[in-house]
Amino acid sequence: MKAKAIPNIYKQVQRLADVTNWLIQKGNIKKARRYLQITEDIFNKGTSEVKNAISNIYVFSVSSFMEIHHCMFTNLFPESLHSEYQKKIHASGI
């Protein structure tokens, strides 16, 4: 019997971002906030690899999606994820 491959953390975080983006697109903001909060909790409790994946994949993906669709992301992002977003903005010089 073949062992089922466990997706790496980066694929899991991308999937979480895809679901969050889909919820925002469908207008289910209440559930999207729940996913953002879950990700915030994972970020705060995670290893440096988990934090790196969430910062580089999740925050980038969700914030890009919200900017393209003109969403008010400052009200949606929990504190730590919003802080990561701000770091990315200031680092890029935008």
Side-chain angles (χ1 to χ4, degrees):
M1 178 160 67
K2 224 181 209 182
K4 194 172 187 180
I6 299 173
N8 69 31
I9 187 67
Y10 296 96
K11 288 181 182 179
Q12 292 174 346
V13 170
Q14 182 60 58
R15 178 69 180 131
L16 188 57
D18 292 343
V19 171
T20 305
N21 289 340
W22 180 80
L23 290 167
I24 294 168
Q25 183 178 21
K26 295 297 178 189
N28 194 342
I29 302 304
K30 185 176 180 179
K31 200 161 193 176
R33 282 181 194 237
R34 174 96 171 105
Y35 273 77
L36 285 157
Q37 188 58 53
I38 289 168
T39 306
E40 170 94 347
D41 294 343
I42 294 168
F43 179 82
N44 288 332
K45 295 174 185 173
T47 64
S48 59
E49 183 180 17
V50 169
K51 289 180 180 189
N52 186 45
I54 290 172
S55 179
N56 290 327
I57 295 172
Y58 187 85
V59 172
F60 177 78
S61 178
V62 174
S63 64
S64 297
F65 178 84
M66 286 195 253
E67 287 178 15
I68 289 169
H69 290 82
H70 307 290
C71 297
M72 293 298 295
F73 55 86
T74 55
N75 297 332
L76 290 176
F77 271 126
E79 187 177 338
S80 296
L81 297 182
H82 189 268
S83 177
E84 288 300 307
Y85 171 75
Q86 291 294 327
K87 288 178 190 174
K88 297 219 171 290
I89 291 298
H90 294 296
S92 67
I94 294 177

